[in-house]
Amino acid sequence: MNREVKIPTLPDSVATAKITNLYVNEGQVVYADDVLFDVETDKVVLEVMADCNGIIENITITNGDHVGADHVVMTVKQLTDSELPARPKAQSANNSTSDLAEQTTVTPPLFSKFNVSLIIALAVGALAILFVVGN
């Protein structure tokens, strides 16, 4: 089943909006809530997101086009969960936070830059005292 993607309803004072960024191409797989394109008016930039999982078909806009409200700009061939390929790891919010946690290392306070400098200074001071006392 194909779903039409339309320009959202614009305020009464705005006749047209400009397509500023088109993030998808024909044939690309999209997932619900992926950003498809940006629409800019004089006062706001709106992100238009996919409302279903599917494959982008028949894009009728390009960057810089001026469009009116409810203008059909592309169609999405809706896919069932069994037809949908797995979402790549880089786009998954759950995986990115766990990867970030694995990559972040915590430096123990004993070995922070300040404490290392303090330990070296104390060691040099102790050696100086031993040298003076020994002479």
Side-chain angles (χ1 to χ4, degrees):
M1 179 174 140
N2 286 349
R3 307 263 314 245
E4 294 179 335
V5 178
K6 298 179 180 182
I7 298 298
T9 303
L10 302 171
D12 292 334
S13 63
V14 178
T16 63
K18 181 180 177 182
I19 304 298
T20 55
N21 291 310
L22 183 60
Y23 298 109
V24 295
N25 298 310
E26 288 184 5
Q28 182 177 338
V29 175
V30 293
Y31 301 87
D33 297 328
D34 282 354
V35 178
L36 303 175
F37 58 93
D38 293 338
V39 178
E40 181 180 313
T41 67
D42 292 338
K43 298 185 181 199
V44 70
V45 175
L46 302 169
E47 291 182 332
V48 177
M49 296 190 250
D51 64 351
C52 65
N53 301 323
I55 298 175
I56 300 294
E57 295 183 339
N58 192 28
I59 297 176
T60 62
I61 56 170
T62 60
N63 288 332
D65 285 354
H66 291 273
V67 292
D70 295 327
H71 179 90
V72 176
V73 294
M74 67 182 69
T75 56
V76 177
K77 180 181 176 187
Q78 194 170 0
L79 299 176
T80 63
D81 289 339
S82 62
E83 297 172 318
L84 192 67
R87 182 183 283 260
K89 280 189 174 186
Q91 295 179 354
S92 175
N94 294 337
N95 287 341
S96 64
T97 56
S98 65
D99 290 345
L100 181 61
E102 290 174 7
Q103 293 173 1
T104 305
T105 58
V106 177
T107 304
L110 179 64
F111 298 111
S112 69
K113 287 182 181 179
F114 174 75
N115 284 343
V116 168
S117 298
L118 181 62
I119 291 169
I120 291 171
L122 289 173
V124 168
L127 287 173
I129 291 172
L130 287 173
F131 181 74
V132 169
V133 171
N135 286 333

